[in-house]
Amino acid sequence: MGETIKILFVDDEKNVLSSLRRLFMDSEYEILTAESGTAGLEILRQEEGIQVLLSDYRMPEMNGVDFLRAACEMKPDTVRIVLSGYADTAAVVAAINEGQIYKFITKPWNEDELKLTIEHALERFHLRRKNRLLLDELKKTNQKLQFVNECLEATGAEITSELVTHNRALRGATKILDDLPVGVLGLDEDGVVVYSNRMVAEIFNASGGVVAGRDGRDFFPPPVCQFISRLAMKERLVQQFVLGGKTITVKGVRIDMEAQAGVILVLEPEQ
């Protein structure tokens, strides 16, 4: 079932209200009437969903412009129309410029013009309500986006804090490995150096160090390269080599994990 269209006519002359009722008798509108501005405001307080107000200008106690101004404060979504004679045009135009009145129709009115004005007023009402609903949805969406952004910022700050902590731990671990009295060397499954500490460079007399990202065969003598190749077939190997005039015990472990595969060598110089 569609929404009931309610229109309130306000005029102190009963015959005018009767004429308006007859004019819209065959329409789907629900017509409400009041014989004064005070009565019209009371109907507005009691009735929900009134969309269009049409009021005569010249009425005792409260003229049409004052009534529509009060109605605007009470129900700002209503579309307000005033009926007036030519002598009242200046006052009505002023009210239109203030934004309280959508349009005015002169008396005596043209029936077709009045019906068309009411139709346009209803279109205006529904368009304004639709725009308001869209604005409300937009506000809600913006609030959700703001909440998501705040969550992302908080998460980013948390991740940054964790990264800082991990980096500190990594730097500490690297410092510890560099200070060990043994060489620690890591190679991936292709024999490329992924890590070496300072002692490795001393053992192999590599000026500038054993460079990560380079093939180990660029640095290691053939016996060590053969040891690494054999280690690829076994889990652990231990062998002694003479490197740089020193006897070095090399212990090798093969790593075969999903994230990383390769070998780790620990080189222990004899004291």
Side-chain angles (χ1 to χ4, degrees):
M1 182 179 293
E3 179 183 11
T4 300
I5 298 172
K6 295 182 180 181
I7 301 173
L8 173 60
F9 294 126
V10 180
D11 199 301
D12 61 318
E13 297 182 35
K14 292 183 179 181
N15 63 321
V16 171
L17 294 177
S18 298
S19 297
L20 290 170
R21 278 189 174 279
R22 285 195 301 273
L23 180 61
F24 293 97
M25 185 171 53
D26 296 329
S27 71
E28 58 185 5
Y29 308 151
E30 179 179 338
I31 302 300
L32 306 171
T33 59
E35 295 180 15
S36 69
T38 302
L41 293 176
E42 186 60 31
I43 290 175
L44 275 178
R45 290 189 187 95
Q46 296 176 2
E47 286 282 342
E48 293 295 329
I50 295 177
Q51 295 140 329
V52 177
L53 305 175
L54 189 146
S55 174
D56 183 32
Y57 176 73
R58 288 187 175 274
M59 295 187 296
E61 298 181 7
M62 180 185 297
N63 67 40
V65 169
D66 290 338
F67 161 70
L68 293 174
R69 182 182 291 113
C72 177
E73 294 176 359
M74 186 184 302
K75 298 289 180 69
D77 286 343
T78 56
V79 181
R80 298 167 294 278
I81 302 168
V82 67
L83 287 171
S84 71
Y86 285 107
D88 307 315
T89 300
V92 174
V93 169
I96 291 175
N97 291 335
E98 291 174 14
Q100 287 127 6
I101 296 175
Y102 163 59
K103 196 170 182 180
F104 79 90
I105 297 175
T106 57
K107 286 184 174 180
W109 62 80
N110 177 283
E111 292 186 354
D112 291 334
E113 179 187 353
L114 179 57
K115 287 182 177 180
L116 186 61
T117 298
I118 294 292
E119 289 178 9
H120 288 168
L122 288 167
E123 290 173 1
R124 181 184 179 87
F125 173 85
H126 291 296
L127 181 60
R128 285 167 58 180
R129 183 169 64 178
K130 184 177 180 180
N131 287 340
R132 188 181 68 250
L133 292 174
L134 289 174
L135 285 174
D136 290 342
E137 285 298 318
L138 183 59
K139 288 179 182 178
K140 291 178 183 177
T141 301
N142 286 336
Q143 289 172 352
K144 291 178 182 178
L145 287 174
Q146 183 178 357
F147 175 74
V148 170
N149 286 334
E150 290 173 355
C151 290
L152 288 174
E153 288 176 4
T155 303
E158 184 178 343
I159 291 173
T160 300
S161 177
E162 290 179 0
L163 287 174
V164 169
T165 301
H166 288 319
N167 285 338
R168 287 174 179 170
L170 182 60
R171 287 197 299 270
T174 302
K175 180 68 167 58
I176 292 170
L177 288 173
D178 263 346
D179 290 342
L180 288 175
V182 297
V184 179
L185 178 68
L187 301 99
D188 67 13
E189 57 187 344
D190 297 320
V192 175
V193 176
V194 294
Y195 176 78
S196 67
N197 67 352
R198 187 169 54 238
M199 181 60 77
V200 171
E202 293 179 8
I203 292 172
F204 288 100
N205 295 319
S207 59
V210 177
V211 181
R214 294 274 300 277
D215 194 317
R217 288 170 294 188
D218 295 341
F219 307 102
F220 311 140
V224 176
C225 292
Q226 292 170 6
F227 176 82
I228 294 170
S229 297
R230 285 190 293 113
L231 185 59
M233 305 295 181
K234 298 184 178 182
E235 290 187 357
R236 297 174 183 269
L237 281 177
V238 179
Q239 187 174 337
Q240 286 189 333
F241 299 92
V242 177
L243 301 169
K246 295 181 180 181
T247 300
I248 308 293
T249 300
V250 180
K251 298 177 181 180
V253 179
R254 178 169 58 84
I255 299 174
D256 190 11
M257 296 186 296
E258 183 177 343
Q260 183 69 52
V263 298
I264 295 176
L265 304 181
V266 177
L267 297 82
E268 300 179 0
E270 283 191 357
Q271 300 298 325

